[in-house]
Amino acid sequence: MTELLSPVGNMECLMAAINGGCDAVYLAGKNFGARSFAGNFSNDELVTAINICHLYGVKVYVTINTIIYDSEVERLIKYVDFLHKINVDALIMQDIGMIDLIRKTFPNIEIHASTQANIHNLEGVKFCEQLGIKRVVLARETPIELIKNIKDNTNIELEIFIHGALCMSYSGECLMSALIGNRSGNRGTCAQCCRQEYSLEVNNKIVEKNKFLLSLKDLKTLENIGKLIDMGINSLKIEGRMKRPEYVFLVTSLYRKAIDNYKKYKETRITNEDIINLKKVFNREFTKGFIFNEENDKIINTYRPNHLGIEIGKVIQINKNKLKIKLKDELNINDGIRIIGNNDSGCIITTMFKNNKRIDKATKGDIVDIPFKDKVSINSSVLKTTDYNQLKEIEKNIKINKRIKIKARCILKLNSKIKLIINDGENSVELESDYIVNKAQNSETTLERIKEQLSKLGQTVYEYDNLEILKDDNIFVPINILNELRRKTLLKLDELRLYKIPYKKECYYLVVPNFNKEENSNILVNTYEEYLKFKDKYNIIYIDDEKEFSKIKDKKCILKIPRINEKLKEYEAPILVSDLGSVYKYKNVDTDFSLNVTNSYSVALLHSLGVNKITLSHELTYSQIEKLVKSYKERYNAHPNLEVITNDNIEAMVCKYNMLRRYKVDTGYLIDRFSNKYKIKIKNNLMHIYDYKRTNKIDNYYKIGINNIRKNI
């Protein structure tokens, strides 16, 4: 089965997803979710949501896809305990330490590795499989060929994003928001820096000015969904937990249509009208994405970072506070429009005129006048960003609750108990009444009357696909007996659909090595010349260039391999790795900051797997690091081998999109509205963006148990 997985930010969106035809939803509680600004669900709402979904045959996955600090672990365990008891189907998680902790503490809970875990190669998937994870949400940058190779070579379930917003950076690898505004994407509070205006400097010259240079188009795979179905991808995921119910319903229903049609006809049968409706509800323009190898310049939209709707006309005349617009599509009262020119301006259409007559509706080719106070220009494009009639139609469809089809047979035999059998395709319930069917003394209970009573399904989620009644002639049955039997049978069916996942809680345990307490001063360099300059001043020297490393024969040198490796090479030397696939494949490794290690459980897991030295996340404060070390020592009775980067121009993003390709250069600068300059480097065909300021931490980390302090050149 190919699962359609829909985003849910509140209870309205939940019903929209169910009625749109999803097989599963993903949502968050009030904490630990990577979309803190979505409505999200209280604990009481989670209970209700899971029960509603399970009645409808829809699974519920709760996101706990943020990095976790040691001070939060106790609260997290209580939260997961609660989720387990209310029958959550799975948890979507990023933090590897918490994944290991939850797997061992609650062995019956299914865990999915979030896209924030940055799993982008076969070895990364095998790492997750080794950890007991049931499903991996692959990085959105993973190409279709690699996805197929992973699917063919692993037993783990795969989940792929098929629609919605794309992040510029690999998910889980972006520090831009945390560095600029102290709002961490890895903690669910991303400020969406990639949707802001920037300028681009190349060779000391501004080549792009005040454009949305980091804003990607929205992913749309409707036309290509069959390729993923044929590959056996387990779950197809729609992005959008911060979107409104109408969006959730429309996108879910269109992908439901495409999936069902492809399975039946080997074609999606998606129409041009479907695509227009999709654009109306939300789009930043569409791309088939990295997954289907979209060309570099076709994946970006530097024009606008927000909803573009559809173009419906042009401004042809301006007269004081009125605009004359020539339409190339329909416009109605209550529609929302945006006029694009030197400045964006928008309004809701409350008054519209044609030939000086007030109208409620205009069509293609019409010239209309609307009141408009903001300053715009002749020939400005007019976009419809809200289609009132579309939204009203969707609202109507959302309220038509999905029904579960059931088959029923009622047997009424003289001198026997009434028997009612109901089947939903998976579950079967058979109940008998206490009442014995009698021969009618006056008027018999007719077939029509029996059918009428059994058909009163009321507020249940069911409707009959078939209702068969087998009865003897000339019998009498009290109506209340039929009603009670119907009610009890349906309640029993509810109980079966509201399945229980066996609750099980065990003790967490992990064996880790004990490292000596040391005080090492380390450095990351890029060239052989830098190595020569610093080789006598530092205990460990990392080299961020394989060719330069090959010139060096020095036991204290360690090669830093790239952060993103769709195919992992063979290395004999000790290496500094940045992804989980490398941890799985190689021996004799240290791990870099990009593994987002923020708690003692992650440290313990990596050490238990043979990692020598672990670089902590840039997102930890001094006091949090102190807490981490203390917790580790108390829990494992051992000393960890940790490293902190104290001096660095921090790498804020790593991106598959290459902004500099058209200029045929490998370096440049991104400039924000405050004139801060972020260096861009192209390495291994990936774009790396660095913070504009250099960090220089002066705290005494050796004092709190850190073995290694590192400076990055």
Side-chain angles (χ1 to χ4, degrees):
M1 175 184 169
T2 303
E3 175 187 271
L4 178 59
L5 177 57
S6 293
V8 169
N10 55 43
M11 200 64 77
E12 285 181 284
C13 290
L14 181 83
M15 294 312 301
I18 291 171
N19 292 330
C22 70
D23 300 301
V25 298
Y26 65 105
L27 50 83
K30 295 296 185 181
N31 297 293
F32 308 118
R35 289 291 180 268
S36 291
F37 303 122
N40 296 326
F41 290 73
S42 68
N43 283 359
D44 287 343
E45 287 173 327
L46 284 170
V47 173
T48 302
I50 289 173
N51 286 339
I52 289 172
C53 285
H54 286 178
L55 275 178
Y56 280 106
V58 171
K59 290 187 174 182
V60 180
Y61 310 140
V62 172
T63 60
I64 304 181
N65 52 345
T66 57
I67 53 176
I68 305 296
Y69 301 136
D70 275 274
S71 61
E72 299 171 320
V73 173
E74 185 177 346
R75 185 160 55 94
L76 175 66
I77 287 289
K78 289 180 180 178
Y79 178 52
V80 173
D81 188 87
F82 163 74
L83 292 174
H84 193 9
K85 288 174 179 174
I86 65 171
N87 299 303
V88 69
D89 291 285
L91 305 177
I92 304 175
M93 301 183 71
Q94 169 188 6
D95 191 300
I96 58 170
M98 294 302 97
I99 289 173
D100 188 50
L101 172 63
I102 299 305
R103 280 283 306 124
K104 289 171 178 170
T105 306
F106 302 103
N108 286 351
I109 289 186
E110 186 174 305
I111 295 179
H112 300 172
S114 168
T115 191
Q116 275 85 5
N118 187 27
I119 307 298
H120 60 270
N121 52 36
L122 173 62
E123 290 79 5
V125 175
K126 287 184 175 292
F127 176 92
C128 293
E129 200 168 8
Q130 172 184 282
L131 213 57
I133 292 169
K134 179 72 179 295
R135 178 187 294 181
V136 169
V137 187
L138 289 175
R140 280 171 266 205
E141 291 80 1
T142 313
I144 188 75
E145 302 83 8
L146 180 54
I147 294 173
K148 185 177 189 311
N149 182 56
I150 291 170
K151 186 63 182 173
D152 290 344
N153 289 282
T154 57
N155 296 315
I156 202 168
E157 292 184 4
L158 296 183
E159 184 172 298
I160 305 296
F161 276 97
I162 57 169
H163 193 94
L166 292 170
C167 294
M168 172 55 72
S169 177
Y170 278 77
S171 291
E173 299 298 295
C174 181
L175 296 175
M176 184 79 93
S177 179
L179 294 170
I180 293 174
N182 198 30
R183 285 173 53 177
S184 168
N186 285 316
R187 297 281 292 168
T189 57
C190 177
Q192 294 200 324
C193 302
C194 53
R195 304 297 182 188
Q196 303 300 313
E197 282 187 324
Y198 297 91
S199 296
L200 178 63
E201 180 184 297
V202 173
N203 294 328
N204 298 313
K205 181 182 177 182
I206 301 296
V207 294
E208 301 278 3
K209 188 172 178 62
N210 297 336
K211 291 187 177 180
F212 299 96
L213 300 175
L214 298 178
S215 185
L216 295 178
K217 297 176 183 177
D218 285 351
L219 178 65
K220 174 176 70 70
T221 65
L222 268 172
E223 297 85 348
N224 295 296
I225 207 73
K227 295 177 183 177
L228 297 173
I229 295 171
D230 288 344
M231 283 167 51
I233 298 304
N234 303 88
S235 183
L236 305 176
K237 185 172 193 171
I238 298 165
E239 183 277 337
R241 279 192 289 134
M242 294 179 68
K243 295 293 197 302
R244 61 191 181 187
E246 294 85 358
Y247 173 93
V248 173
F249 177 85
L250 180 67
V251 177
T252 298
S253 60
L254 285 179
Y255 278 92
R256 177 81 277 154
K257 171 184 174 180
I259 292 167
D260 291 349
N261 282 345
Y262 187 80
K263 287 182 176 179
K264 189 173 182 179
Y265 307 111
K266 280 297 178 181
E267 57 183 27
T268 62
R269 301 193 174 182
I270 293 297
T271 66
N272 186 55
E273 183 181 1
D274 290 331
I275 302 303
I276 290 172
N277 283 331
L278 207 52
K279 288 181 176 179
K280 285 179 184 177
V281 80
F282 193 89
N283 83 95
R284 297 182 179 95
E285 296 187 345
F286 289 125
T287 171
K288 60 185 180 181
F290 296 111
I291 181 175
F292 291 110
N293 300 300
E294 184 75 278
E295 294 175 36
N296 190 66
D297 288 340
K298 289 185 178 180
I299 204 163
I300 194 83
N301 176 9
T302 62
Y303 178 59
R304 288 290 181 277
N306 44 19
H307 176 38
L308 292 173
I310 59 169
E311 186 176 8
I312 61 163
K314 296 277 188 185
V315 175
I316 61 172
Q317 187 177 321
I318 302 168
N319 183 13
K320 293 184 179 179
N321 290 333
K322 279 189 177 181
L323 301 182
K324 195 176 288 292
I325 300 170
K326 183 168 185 179
L327 297 175
K328 61 178 184 180
D329 209 324
E330 185 179 288
L331 183 63
N332 296 282
I333 294 296
N334 296 319
D335 285 349
I337 65 168
R338 180 183 299 141
I339 298 176
I340 303 294
N342 294 329
N343 298 298
D344 283 12
S345 299
C347 71
I348 300 295
I349 301 296
T350 56
T351 308
M352 181 166 57
F353 298 89
K354 177 183 174 183
N355 298 327
N356 295 320
K357 292 183 178 180
R358 191 164 182 160
I359 58 173
D360 292 334
K361 178 179 180 178
T363 57
K364 181 179 179 179
D366 285 349
I367 296 174
V368 298
D369 295 300
I370 64 167
F372 204 83
K373 294 181 179 180
D374 294 339
K375 187 176 181 181
V376 297
S377 305
I378 298 290
N379 291 324
S380 293
S381 292
V382 181
L383 309 179
K384 184 193 287 188
T385 53
T386 302
D387 187 314
Y388 179 76
N389 290 335
Q390 179 197 35
L391 294 183
K392 295 300 288 184
E393 181 66 23
I394 292 174
E395 285 174 11
K396 184 174 71 175
N397 289 329
I398 289 174
K399 291 174 182 176
I400 302 172
N401 286 337
K402 175 182 174 182
R403 295 289 174 181
I404 305 300
K405 292 190 178 297
I406 55 175
K407 297 181 186 300
R409 173 182 286 183
C410 187
I411 303 170
L412 303 99
K413 296 291 184 182
L414 190 63
N415 300 321
S416 298
K417 295 180 178 181
I418 306 168
K419 185 181 292 185
L420 180 59
I421 306 161
I422 293 181
N423 188 292
D424 66 1
E426 292 184 11
N427 306 289
S428 185
V429 177
E430 180 177 321
L431 290 183
E432 290 183 337
S433 67
D434 293 331
Y435 177 81
I436 305 294
V437 177
N438 296 318
K439 189 172 183 178
Q441 298 299 317
N442 297 310
S443 60
E444 72 168 309
T445 307
T446 64
L447 178 69
E448 290 72 21
R449 188 66 194 276
I450 294 168
K451 189 171 185 178
E452 178 186 351
Q453 294 309 123
L454 293 179
S455 297
K456 292 181 177 180
L457 300 180
Q459 299 301 310
T460 71
V461 300
Y462 307 110
E463 68 179 12
Y464 288 119
D465 187 38
N466 184 56
L467 172 57
E468 182 182 8
I469 299 170
L470 304 175
K471 67 178 283 294
D472 286 344
D473 293 334
N474 198 32
I475 61 170
F476 173 77
V477 179
I479 296 305
N480 66 314
I481 298 296
L482 287 174
N483 290 342
E484 184 66 9
L485 182 59
R486 181 201 66 232
R487 187 185 67 80
K488 285 183 176 180
T489 309
L490 291 176
L491 282 175
K492 189 67 177 176
L493 183 58
D494 282 352
E495 288 177 16
L496 293 177
R497 295 181 70 84
L498 294 171
Y499 50 84
K500 300 291 184 184
I501 296 168
Y503 176 84
K504 189 175 184 180
K505 187 174 182 180
E506 296 183 347
C507 292
Y508 164 82
Y509 182 74
L510 194 62
V511 176
V512 301
N514 184 38
F515 292 87
N516 294 328
K517 179 74 177 72
E518 298 176 354
E519 293 187 3
N520 296 318
S521 182
N522 309 329
I523 193 168
L524 172 72
V525 300
N526 301 290
T527 66
Y528 180 69
E529 287 71 24
E530 289 173 347
Y531 158 75
L532 292 176
K533 180 179 178 182
F534 295 111
K535 67 183 182 69
D536 297 324
K537 299 179 183 178
Y538 291 92
N539 300 94
I540 297 170
I541 299 178
Y542 302 105
I543 314 292
D544 191 15
D545 189 294
E546 194 171 345
K547 289 182 180 178
E548 297 293 291
F549 181 78
S550 66
K551 301 174 185 176
I552 303 166
K553 305 297 179 185
D554 187 336
K555 289 184 178 180
K556 69 179 182 180
C557 288
I558 295 175
L559 173 64
K560 180 186 185 313
I561 67 171
R563 287 174 72 172
I564 306 298
N565 298 278
E566 290 183 351
K567 186 174 182 181
L568 291 166
K569 297 166 59 176
E570 298 295 334
Y571 296 100
E572 294 182 3
I575 51 178
L576 176 67
V577 304
S578 301
D579 75 294
L580 294 174
S582 296
V583 173
Y584 176 85
K585 180 176 176 65
Y586 303 119
K587 292 186 170 80
N588 197 17
V589 301
D590 297 345
T591 57
D592 209 354
F593 72 92
S594 54
L595 260 68
N596 294 324
V597 173
T598 57
N599 59 67
S600 55
Y601 294 88
S602 295
V603 173
L605 174 64
L606 291 172
H607 275 330
S608 74
L609 295 172
V611 173
N612 301 319
K613 180 167 68 274
I614 297 160
T615 308
L616 296 177
S617 167
H618 285 297
E619 298 197 54
L620 286 169
T621 64
Y622 182 84
S623 61
Q624 287 169 333
I625 294 172
E626 184 176 24
K627 169 74 172 172
L628 183 157
V629 175
K630 183 180 179 183
S631 298
Y632 187 95
K633 289 179 176 180
E634 290 176 351
R635 186 179 309 110
Y636 306 107
N637 195 29
H639 186 79
N641 190 19
L642 301 175
E643 180 175 71
V644 172
I645 301 172
T646 59
N647 195 290
D648 189 16
N649 275 107
I650 296 174
E651 195 170 314
M653 283 189 184
V654 56
C655 319
K656 196 161 192 176
Y657 170 69
N658 182 353
M659 189 186 307
L660 300 179
R661 183 173 295 173
R662 69 170 65 179
Y663 304 104
K664 298 180 180 179
V665 295
D666 290 333
T667 60
Y669 286 93
L670 200 65
I671 304 172
D672 68 15
R673 64 186 185 277
F674 304 110
S675 299
N676 298 315
K677 297 176 72 171
Y678 304 80
K679 189 167 187 177
I680 304 171
K681 285 185 183 178
I682 306 301
K683 299 188 293 185
N684 305 301
N685 297 315
L686 296 172
M687 180 172 70
H688 299 253
I689 301 175
Y690 297 82
D691 193 17
Y692 69 90
K693 59 186 181 299
R694 191 168 187 88
T695 61
N696 186 23
K697 301 174 184 176
I698 59 174
D699 297 295
N700 186 347
Y701 288 94
Y702 296 133
K703 178 182 175 182
I704 59 173
I706 297 299
N707 280 4
N708 302 273
I709 304 301
R710 192 212 302 180
K711 174 182 179 181
N712 288 351
I713 294 297

